[in-house]
Amino acid sequence: MDFSLSDEQRTLRDATLDFAKKELQDDLIARDRDGVFPEDLWKKCATFGIQGMPFPQAYGGGDSDILTTVLAMEALGYGCKDNGLLFALNAQMWSVQMPIHMFGTDEQKKKYLTPMCKGDLIGAHGMSEPGSGSDAFSLTTTARKEGNSYILNGAKTFVSNAPVADMFVVFANTNRSKGFMGISAFLIDRNTEGLQVGKNIGKMGLRTSPWSEVVMEDCRIDEGQRLGKEGNGAGIFEDSMAWERSFILANYVGGMERQIETCITYAKTRRQFGQPISKFQAVANRIVDMKVRLETARNLLYKVAWMMDKGSPSVLDAAILKLYLSENWIKSCMDATQIHGGYGFTTEYEVERDLRDAVGSTLYSGTSEMQRNLIARHLRL
Amino acid sequence: MKADDVETTIRRYIVNEIMFKKDESVLEFDASLLEQGVLDSAAMVELIAFLEGEFGISVARTDMVPENFETVSSIAQYVRSQ
């Protein structure tokens, strides 16, 4: 077992950190308040190489392995406080670009993957519906074959990036009698007749990442817009969920490290009862717990990335990682708020925003309950 | 393992571990697992783990289509083709 990083990995991680600290800083308090998606920062990330990092150079990517990509995402989470931007980037990379990379034709990759790597196109993933969330395959959207076309009807909700997206990966029933294996995946351009994108839905956190409903009414697309084989939708969704579950929270490992440093600085500076509050065990122990969570979460993250690179992905390890990292990110945000006392409750100190942003992490990409179900099944319970 | 044993082994697993029954004759080799609702997405995760462990194969996500998983016979045929 070798825990050391290569020179190339260290260089890319450090460069990403430097980029994030210099280029991804703006008036986030105001943007968060107003729910504004940072198109300029998105473009800067693409120019640096974030969106394309794990994808082939032939499609505008950086050809990095997964562990290296994860290290860069961790650095991004340390240097950039805009969790909404980071969430939007991850949502596109793992659940839009990755399925196109894994299941798309060369033509589809040239049309969608290349411009997404370059930041010229934004993609969104539509699976959840008003009546189907955790029970994802009970979706009711249909795709009826008519000659060389499919006609789609239905509604998707909670579609991350939808208000700013140029294209959508959408899942629909092509043969209801086959159950979850009657589902197929499609690539739909925003300007397709019959496709309507709703307004941004306000939410507790991640406010700089817009999301909305997407409605399809007799939305006709060419057969060539189907992603993968007919009936392979469940396989494509499971695959993209494996990537998303594994890495959508990678930024938060960097975020946890930043948070600990902020808390240490504050606890050493803030004085009560004649001494720094860091000298009180009640405060120090919180920071110790934050550190233990950070290091254990980081090891889980690196292990899952390493397994992906070895070509042996593990549903069990990915579920454990998603469950552990999300729940401990929330705990650390709570601790950071408590350590900062009343100041932690103010918008100005930027501690409360992390907490609001964190709450969604146990909900999206599979709730904590669903991760526990997956783990239980692997234990044959 | 004999060719017929593949069918029998897969059917035994599905009946015992997914349908939670003991009498294997309740499931015909050519009965549709999808249309009868025997195989849902959660059971599929378990079935794939079983097939990979039992037969030493790797089930690609591109192979998760009805042609390969419709019946016990089609699953067995898929396993043999790997």
Side-chain angles (χ1 to χ4, degrees), chain A residues 43-181:
Chain A
K43 192 73 184 170
K44 282 182 181 178
C45 286
T47 303
F48 179 79
I50 297 295
Q51 287 92 318
M53 200 165 283
F55 301 104
Q57 285 182 355
Y59 300 106
D63 247 342
S64 292
D65 59 48
I66 298 303
L67 180 57
T68 304
T69 302
V70 161
L71 289 166
M73 299 309 274
E74 180 187 342
L76 209 57
Y78 181 93
C80 174
K81 294 178 181 174
D82 187 351
N83 296 313
L85 168 65
L86 304 181
F87 173 79
L89 287 166
N90 277 284
Q92 175 180 292
M93 286 171 66
W94 306 118
S95 55
V96 180
Q97 289 174 252
M98 194 54 87
I100 293 172
H101 167 56
M102 300 294 284
F103 298 91
T105 62
D106 182 55
E107 192 180 339
Q108 289 170 341
K109 290 176 191 178
K110 282 177 180 160
K111 182 178 177 184
Y112 296 112
L113 185 55
T114 301
M116 275 193 253
C117 288
K118 292 179 178 172
D120 296 333
L121 203 70
I122 296 179
H125 174 105
M127 183 64 171
S128 294
E129 298 184 353
S132 63
S134 292
D135 186 10
F137 296 123
S138 65
L139 60 87
T140 59
T141 296
T142 58
R144 191 180 75 250
K145 190 85 185 286
E146 202 175 279
N148 293 328
S149 303
Y150 285 95
I151 317 284
L152 279 85
N153 280 284
K156 299 293 177 182
T157 194
F158 304 148
V159 183
S160 299
N161 294 349
V164 294
D166 302 291
M167 63 81 64
F168 301 85
V169 175
V170 166
F171 294 82
N173 278 303
T174 43
N175 186 349
R176 280 184 190 276
S177 70
K178 302 296 181 192
F180 74 102
M181 280 207 169

Side-chain angles (χ1 to χ4, degrees), chain A residues 259 262 333 336-337 340 344 346-347 349-355:
Chain A
Q259 206 171 46
T262 304
C333 289
T337 306
H340 281 77
T346 66
T347 305
Y349 270 64
E350 300 189 275
V351 174
E352 59 84 33
R353 188 184 56 242
D354 274 345
L355 177 58

Side-chain angles (χ1 to χ4, degrees), chain B residues 2-74:
Chain B
K2 290 179 192 171
D4 289 351
D5 290 346
V6 178
E7 267 92 348
T8 306
T9 303
I10 292 169
R11 179 168 75 171
R12 184 180 302 128
Y13 176 80
I14 292 173
V15 170
N16 294 343
E17 303 295 332
I18 293 176
M19 300 171 73
F20 301 112
K21 294 189 170 155
K22 289 183 178 173
D23 181 6
E24 291 164 31
S25 67
V26 298
L27 182 62
E28 300 285 340
F29 286 129
D30 291 320
S32 173
L33 302 170
L34 302 173
E35 292 182 14
Q36 291 183 18
V38 173
L39 207 53
D40 62 16
S41 59
M44 185 73 177
V45 173
E46 286 185 357
L47 176 62
I48 288 174
F50 169 75
L51 294 175
E52 292 182 336
E54 182 72 19
F55 301 108
I57 62 168
S58 177
V59 179
R61 292 228 162 76
T62 47
D63 293 338
M64 285 175 61
V65 288
E67 299 91 276
N68 295 330
F69 288 90
E70 180 83 52
T71 65
V72 170
S73 296
S74 61

